[in-house]
Amino acid sequence: MTEYINIAEVIGHLAGSLTTAAFLPQAIKVFKTKRTQDISLLMYIILCLGVGCWFAYGVMINALPVMIANGLTLVLAASILVFKLVSEKEK
Amino acid sequence: MTEYINIAEVIGHLAGSLTTAAFLPQAIKVFKTKRTQDISLLMYIILCLGVGCWFAYGVMINALPVMIANGLTLVLAASILVFKLVSEKEK
């Protein structure tokens, strides 16, 4: 049974790493191009709220993969949100 | 103790709903404007892989909030990815 649980742990860490890493290329693209027109502001507002809840959920059920993944994702998603807000203001 | 666990369940469902719903405004924006230039292709490729892993993780640990949230997110993220791929091809 432990081996089965270890596979789930590995998948959880992989999932967390991928869904966190996914926001890096978008943050870099926005940082380089300073263009955010096609990016949905509402998406990143809701996403930051949701990822914040996932972080709290991870703390409450004491699941380290969920805490680490969502803590980092929040930093990346929030930086994209700030870029979007700044570029909206400059319009 | 059960009351504490119920709060975690509520937070988990809320987190899942928000991080799933977040992709809806982006999918609608892309569908309406047909513009995806500022959206990172690499982000959505990695995101779809990661969300697929989260879905598998949810199945393995038998966590319904994780399964439902990531199943729906995969549909939305994949539709944005398809839009991005189609618009890249039309360039």
Short mmCIF file of all heavy atoms in Angstrom, two decimals, chain A residues 33-56:
data_model
loop_
_atom_site.label_atom_id
_atom_site.label_comp_id
_atom_site.label_asym_id
_atom_site.label_seq_id
_atom_site.Cartn_x
_atom_site.Cartn_y
_atom_site.Cartn_z
N THR A 33 7.59 41.88 -23.02
CA THR A 33 6.84 42.61 -24.06
C THR A 33 6.08 43.81 -23.50
O THR A 33 5.67 44.70 -24.25
CB THR A 33 5.81 41.66 -24.71
OG1 THR A 33 4.85 41.28 -23.70
CG2 THR A 33 6.46 40.43 -25.30
N LYS A 34 5.84 43.81 -22.18
CA LYS A 34 5.03 44.87 -21.55
C LYS A 34 3.61 44.89 -22.16
O LYS A 34 2.90 45.86 -22.02
CB LYS A 34 5.68 46.25 -21.73
CG LYS A 34 7.12 46.35 -21.24
CD LYS A 34 7.21 46.44 -19.73
CE LYS A 34 8.62 46.66 -19.22
NZ LYS A 34 9.38 45.36 -19.02
N ARG A 35 3.22 43.80 -22.86
CA ARG A 35 1.89 43.74 -23.50
C ARG A 35 1.00 42.76 -22.72
O ARG A 35 1.39 41.63 -22.48
CB ARG A 35 2.04 43.23 -24.94
CG ARG A 35 2.71 44.19 -25.90
CD ARG A 35 2.91 43.52 -27.25
NE ARG A 35 1.64 42.87 -27.61
CZ ARG A 35 0.68 43.46 -28.32
NH1 ARG A 35 0.84 44.70 -28.72
NH2 ARG A 35 -0.44 42.83 -28.61
N THR A 36 -0.20 43.24 -22.35
CA THR A 36 -1.11 42.35 -21.61
C THR A 36 -2.53 42.43 -22.17
O THR A 36 -3.46 41.92 -21.58
CB THR A 36 -1.16 42.80 -20.13
OG1 THR A 36 -1.71 44.13 -20.07
CG2 THR A 36 0.20 42.77 -19.47
N GLN A 37 -2.66 43.06 -23.33
CA GLN A 37 -4.01 43.35 -23.86
C GLN A 37 -4.88 42.09 -23.98
O GLN A 37 -6.05 42.09 -23.66
CB GLN A 37 -3.89 44.02 -25.23
CG GLN A 37 -5.20 44.58 -25.74
CD GLN A 37 -5.09 45.11 -27.16
OE1 GLN A 37 -4.01 45.09 -27.75
NE2 GLN A 37 -6.20 45.56 -27.72
N ASP A 38 -4.29 40.98 -24.45
CA ASP A 38 -5.08 39.76 -24.69
C ASP A 38 -5.30 38.94 -23.42
O ASP A 38 -6.00 37.93 -23.44
CB ASP A 38 -4.39 38.89 -25.75
CG ASP A 38 -4.17 39.67 -27.05
OD1 ASP A 38 -4.95 40.62 -27.29
OD2 ASP A 38 -3.21 39.35 -27.78
N ILE A 39 -4.67 39.36 -22.32
CA ILE A 39 -4.78 38.63 -21.05
C ILE A 39 -5.99 39.15 -20.29
O ILE A 39 -6.20 40.36 -20.20
CB ILE A 39 -3.49 38.78 -20.23
CG1 ILE A 39 -2.33 38.06 -20.92
CG2 ILE A 39 -3.68 38.26 -18.81
CD1 ILE A 39 -0.99 38.34 -20.32
N SER A 40 -6.78 38.25 -19.72
CA SER A 40 -8.00 38.64 -19.02
C SER A 40 -7.67 39.08 -17.59
O SER A 40 -7.13 38.31 -16.79
CB SER A 40 -8.97 37.45 -18.97
OG SER A 40 -9.94 37.65 -17.98
N LEU A 41 -8.02 40.34 -17.29
CA LEU A 41 -7.80 40.87 -15.93
C LEU A 41 -8.62 40.06 -14.92
O LEU A 41 -8.11 39.65 -13.86
CB LEU A 41 -8.23 42.35 -15.88
CG LEU A 41 -8.21 43.03 -14.50
CD1 LEU A 41 -6.78 43.07 -13.94
CD2 LEU A 41 -8.76 44.47 -14.60
N LEU A 42 -9.88 39.77 -15.30
CA LEU A 42 -10.78 39.04 -14.39
C LEU A 42 -10.21 37.66 -14.07
O LEU A 42 -10.28 37.19 -12.93
CB LEU A 42 -12.16 38.91 -15.05
CG LEU A 42 -13.30 38.41 -14.16
CD1 LEU A 42 -13.43 39.26 -12.90
CD2 LEU A 42 -14.62 38.39 -14.94
N MET A 43 -9.58 37.03 -15.08
CA MET A 43 -8.98 35.70 -14.83
C MET A 43 -7.97 35.77 -13.70
O MET A 43 -7.99 34.98 -12.76
CB MET A 43 -8.27 35.17 -16.08
CG MET A 43 -7.36 33.98 -15.79
SD MET A 43 -6.66 33.24 -17.26
CE MET A 43 -5.34 32.25 -16.51
N TYR A 44 -7.07 36.77 -13.75
CA TYR A 44 -5.98 36.80 -12.76
C TYR A 44 -6.46 37.27 -11.38
O TYR A 44 -5.88 36.88 -10.36
CB TYR A 44 -4.79 37.60 -13.29
CG TYR A 44 -3.95 36.74 -14.21
CD1 TYR A 44 -4.24 36.67 -15.57
CD2 TYR A 44 -2.94 35.92 -13.71
CE1 TYR A 44 -3.53 35.81 -16.41
CE2 TYR A 44 -2.22 35.07 -14.53
CZ TYR A 44 -2.53 35.03 -15.88
OH TYR A 44 -1.83 34.16 -16.72
N ILE A 45 -7.54 38.05 -11.35
CA ILE A 45 -8.10 38.43 -10.04
C ILE A 45 -8.68 37.18 -9.37
O ILE A 45 -8.36 36.84 -8.22
CB ILE A 45 -9.18 39.53 -10.21
CG1 ILE A 45 -8.55 40.85 -10.65
CG2 ILE A 45 -9.99 39.70 -8.91
CD1 ILE A 45 -9.56 41.93 -11.03
N ILE A 46 -9.49 36.45 -10.14
CA ILE A 46 -10.14 35.24 -9.58
C ILE A 46 -9.09 34.17 -9.27
O ILE A 46 -9.15 33.49 -8.24
CB ILE A 46 -11.19 34.69 -10.58
CG1 ILE A 46 -12.28 35.73 -10.88
CG2 ILE A 46 -11.82 33.41 -10.04
CD1 ILE A 46 -13.23 35.33 -11.99
N LEU A 47 -8.10 34.07 -10.14
CA LEU A 47 -7.05 33.06 -9.95
C LEU A 47 -6.27 33.30 -8.66
O LEU A 47 -6.02 32.36 -7.89
CB LEU A 47 -6.09 33.09 -11.15
CG LEU A 47 -5.17 31.88 -11.30
CD1 LEU A 47 -5.96 30.64 -11.66
CD2 LEU A 47 -4.11 32.16 -12.36
N CYS A 48 -5.91 34.57 -8.41
CA CYS A 48 -5.16 34.89 -7.18
C CYS A 48 -6.00 34.55 -5.94
O CYS A 48 -5.49 33.98 -4.97
CB CYS A 48 -4.74 36.36 -7.18
SG CYS A 48 -3.40 36.71 -8.35
N LEU A 49 -7.30 34.85 -6.00
CA LEU A 49 -8.18 34.51 -4.87
C LEU A 49 -8.23 32.99 -4.68
O LEU A 49 -8.08 32.47 -3.56
CB LEU A 49 -9.59 35.04 -5.12
CG LEU A 49 -9.78 36.55 -5.03
CD1 LEU A 49 -11.18 36.96 -5.52
CD2 LEU A 49 -9.57 37.02 -3.58
N GLY A 50 -8.38 32.27 -5.80
CA GLY A 50 -8.50 30.81 -5.72
C GLY A 50 -7.22 30.15 -5.24
O GLY A 50 -7.24 29.26 -4.38
N VAL A 51 -6.08 30.61 -5.77
CA VAL A 51 -4.80 30.02 -5.38
C VAL A 51 -4.53 30.30 -3.90
O VAL A 51 -4.00 29.46 -3.18
CB VAL A 51 -3.67 30.56 -6.28
CG1 VAL A 51 -2.30 30.16 -5.77
CG2 VAL A 51 -3.84 30.05 -7.71
N GLY A 52 -4.97 31.47 -3.44
CA GLY A 52 -4.86 31.80 -2.02
C GLY A 52 -5.66 30.82 -1.17
O GLY A 52 -5.19 30.33 -0.13
N CYS A 53 -6.85 30.46 -1.66
CA CYS A 53 -7.69 29.47 -0.95
C CYS A 53 -7.03 28.09 -0.97
O CYS A 53 -7.03 27.37 0.03
CB CYS A 53 -9.06 29.39 -1.59
SG CYS A 53 -10.13 30.79 -1.24
N TRP A 54 -6.44 27.71 -2.11
CA TRP A 54 -5.75 26.40 -2.18
C TRP A 54 -4.61 26.35 -1.16
O TRP A 54 -4.39 25.34 -0.51
CB TRP A 54 -5.17 26.13 -3.57
CG TRP A 54 -6.12 25.49 -4.53
CD1 TRP A 54 -6.43 25.93 -5.78
CD2 TRP A 54 -6.88 24.28 -4.35
NE1 TRP A 54 -7.34 25.08 -6.36
CE2 TRP A 54 -7.63 24.07 -5.52
CE3 TRP A 54 -6.99 23.36 -3.30
CZ2 TRP A 54 -8.49 22.98 -5.66
CZ3 TRP A 54 -7.84 22.27 -3.44
CH2 TRP A 54 -8.59 22.09 -4.61
N PHE A 55 -3.92 27.50 -1.00
CA PHE A 55 -2.81 27.55 -0.04
C PHE A 55 -3.36 27.31 1.37
O PHE A 55 -2.84 26.48 2.12
CB PHE A 55 -2.09 28.91 -0.11
CG PHE A 55 -0.92 29.00 0.83
CD1 PHE A 55 0.29 28.44 0.48
CD2 PHE A 55 -1.06 29.61 2.07
CE1 PHE A 55 1.37 28.48 1.36
CE2 PHE A 55 0.01 29.66 2.95
CZ PHE A 55 1.23 29.10 2.59
N ALA A 56 -4.47 28.00 1.69
CA ALA A 56 -5.10 27.83 3.01
C ALA A 56 -5.56 26.38 3.20
O ALA A 56 -5.37 25.77 4.25
CB ALA A 56 -6.29 28.79 3.13
#
